[in-house]
Amino acid sequence: MKLQRKNRLRALSLGAIAVSGALALTACGSDDTSGNGGGGKETNANANIKCDDAKGQLAASGSSAQKNAIDAWRKVYTTNCKDVQLNYNPTGSGAGITAFLQGQTAFAGSDSALKPEEIEKSKKICTNSQAIDLPMVGGPIAIGYNVPGVDNLVLDAKTLADIFNDKIKTWDDKAIEKLNPDAKLPSTKIQAFHRSDESGTTDNFTKYLKGAAPSAWPYEPGKSWEAKGGQSANGSAGVAGQVKQTAGAISYFELSYAGDGVQTVDLKTGAKDPVKATVDNASKAISEAKVVGKGKDLALELNYKPTAEGAYPITLVTYEVVCEKGNKKDTLAATKSFLTYIASEDGQNVLKENDYAPIPSEIITKVRSTVASLS
C-alpha cells in the first residue's frame, strides 16, 4: 500500500460523520464514523453486482476493524446500485451487536462471533429464526511499536503476554534481548496501550495470548481489557496514533492502521523463522480455521499455535451478523444485494488491495450459499 493512500485512509478513520435517528449505528468501539464517503483503494466500478429490487437506506454498524474495507466496498456498490444509501458506523463490535439486537440496524459487523446469549436475544428480532455469523473479512492484527533505533523486533506469545500484563517494563529486558540478540535495545520504559472501548480486536488479541501463552496470560479473553496496568485509547486509530507519537509505545491494531513510520513486530511461532504481519501470512493462518457454528451459523475457531512457515497467528475474522430468516422487509433486498457483492470474487478481491485477507475459498463458498438463502 502506498504511503499516500495510507495517509488518506488514516485521515478518514479519524474523521467523523454523525448519523442520527435510525441511522445512529453503534459498534466495536471506534472513534470514527462514516457516511457514504470513505477511503479505500479505487476499485472496479463495473463489478458484476445484482441490485435486484434493492433501494432505500441500509443502516449497519459495528467493527472498526473493517471500516476501510466497507469504505472501499461502498464506493463500488453504490456506484452500481444508485437507489441504495449505505451507512456504516464503525463505533465498535460490542455496540454494533447491541444496536442490531435492538432492531436499529439491518446487520452488524463484529470481530467476534455471537455468544449463546446473544443468539438467544436475536430470536426477538429475527421472526421465527435467529441471527447468524457470516465471516466476510480477514486480516492480521499487527503489533505496532515505537522504539527509537530498533527497526526490527521479534517477540513471542509469552513475551507479549508479559509486556501487556505489566511484567516486562523496559525494552532492554532479558526476555526481549534473548529474542533480539543483534538489536541495540534501549532502557526506555515500555508504554503498553490497549483499547478503552469494547473491541473485537481486543477479544481476538487476548484469545491469541490465552491460546498461545496460557500460563503467562491469566485473564479470560473478551472485548473489554482485563489486565492491570498500561494505558488506553479509543478505537484502532486511537491506539495506533499513540504508538506513532509515544517513544517506548507498543499496541495492537489492524494492519490497515499501521504505517507512517509505525514499525510492526515479527512473531516467533512454532515455525523455523519469525513471521511478519502481512495479508498473505494472515490468510495462511485463517485457512486452518474450523467452522464451529451450528446450522447456517459460520462462526470459526482459529488456530493460535500454527507451525506452518509464514502463518501469522494474531488474526481476526470480521463477521457480518444478520438474521437467517425474519429480516426486515424494507431492507432485505438491499441487505442481500450488498452481502452478495462483498462475498463475491470481486468483493473479496477488494480486501487484499486494502491490507485485508480474503476469506478462504472453502469458507466463503458457504457464505455465498447462506446469503442467497436469507429471507
Side-chain angles (χ1 to χ4, degrees):
M1 176 184 287
K2 294 183 179 179
L3 179 59
Q4 182 178 6
R5 181 166 63 82
K6 280 195 173 183
N7 287 336
R8 186 172 76 251
L9 288 174
R10 184 151 288 95
L12 287 163
S13 70
L14 291 169
I17 300 175
V19 183
S20 60
L23 300 181
L25 319 174
T26 45
C28 157
S30 167
D31 50 355
D32 49 25
T33 57
S34 178
N36 282 331
K41 186 175 180 178
E42 295 298 330
T43 51
N44 180 15
N46 297 312
N48 184 23
I49 298 175
K50 294 183 179 180
C51 302
D52 295 325
D53 297 322
K55 59 183 178 180
Q57 294 180 332
L58 182 60
S61 66
S63 162
S64 64
Q66 70 169 359
K67 175 193 180 297
N68 296 334
I70 291 285
D71 286 346
W73 279 331
R74 177 170 43 213
K75 281 186 176 182
V76 181
Y77 181 77
T78 56
T79 296
N80 286 268
C81 301
K82 299 182 184 297
D83 292 333
V84 178
Q85 290 181 309
L86 172 63
N87 293 275
Y88 183 80
N89 189 349
T91 55
S93 293
I97 293 297
T98 297
F100 175 77
L101 293 177
Q102 292 175 347
Q104 298 176 20
T105 55
F107 66 91
S110 177
D111 305 322
S112 301
L114 291 164
K115 297 177 180 178
E117 59 268 27
E118 292 171 334
I119 292 177
E120 188 63 30
K121 287 181 181 179
S122 73
K123 295 178 181 179
K124 295 181 180 180
I125 62 164
C126 301
T127 307
N128 298 320
S129 185
Q130 66 175 52
I132 55 176
D133 300 285
L134 301 177
M136 204 71 77
V137 182
I141 298 174
I143 307 299
Y145 70 95
N146 181 346
V147 183
V150 180
D151 295 329
N152 296 288
L153 185 68
V154 176
L155 296 175
D156 59 15
K158 183 181 184 305
T159 307
L160 274 172
D162 285 341
I163 287 173
F164 281 92
N165 197 25
D166 204 28
K167 295 289 183 66
I168 294 178
K169 300 180 181 292
T170 62
W171 282 107
D172 61 353
D173 187 274
K174 291 182 178 179
I176 302 177
E177 286 184 338
K178 185 177 180 180
L179 290 165
N180 300 272
D182 297 327
K184 294 182 179 179
L185 297 166
S187 59
T188 306
K189 180 181 178 181
I190 293 175
Q191 307 281 350
F193 284 89
H194 57 266
R195 292 277 291 269
S196 60
D197 49 315
E198 282 201 353
S199 163
T201 311
T202 294
D203 189 23
N204 282 275
F205 178 54
T206 53
K207 281 179 178 176
Y208 164 74
L209 295 178
K210 189 67 172 180
S215 62
W217 192 255
Y219 312 99
E220 288 302 313
K223 295 176 183 176
S224 297
W225 187 258
E226 298 295 333
K228 310 301 179 185
Q231 302 178 64
S232 64
N234 189 65
S236 296
V239 291
Q242 289 296 332
V243 170
K244 182 181 178 181
Q245 68 187 24
T246 307
I250 185 170
S251 190
Y252 55 93
F253 40 81
E254 298 73 38
L255 183 62
S256 62
Y257 286 90
D260 296 343
V262 175
Q263 304 284 351
T264 59
V265 167
D266 294 347
L267 284 180
K268 180 61 179 174
T269 66
K272 179 181 177 181
D273 297 317
V275 184
K276 294 185 178 298
T278 69
V279 169
D280 287 340
N281 290 345
S283 291
K284 291 178 182 178
I286 294 172
S287 67
E288 297 184 12
K290 298 179 181 179
V291 176
V292 293
K294 297 179 180 180
K296 292 189 176 181
D297 184 86
L298 298 176
L300 302 177
E301 181 178 85
L302 299 172
N303 176 15
Y304 296 111
K305 292 184 178 181
T307 57
E309 294 297 325
Y312 184 83
I314 314 181
T315 61
L316 61 74
V317 171
T318 300
Y319 301 92
E320 311 310 334
V321 176
V322 66
C323 292
E324 179 182 348
K325 299 178 181 179
N327 290 280
K328 296 178 181 178
K329 292 182 179 180
D330 58 340
T331 56
L332 175 60
T335 298
K336 290 186 67 172
S337 174
F338 179 67
L339 295 182
T340 296
Y341 161 59
I342 67 177
S344 70
E345 185 175 352
D346 285 342
Q348 289 291 296
N349 284 340
V350 168
L351 294 178
K352 196 168 183 179
E353 297 170 358
N354 289 277
D355 278 352
Y356 293 97
I359 300 299
S361 59
E362 62 271 19
I363 299 174
I364 202 67
T365 298
K366 296 178 181 178
V367 172
R368 292 166 186 160
S369 176
T370 302
V371 171
S373 69
L374 298 179
S375 61

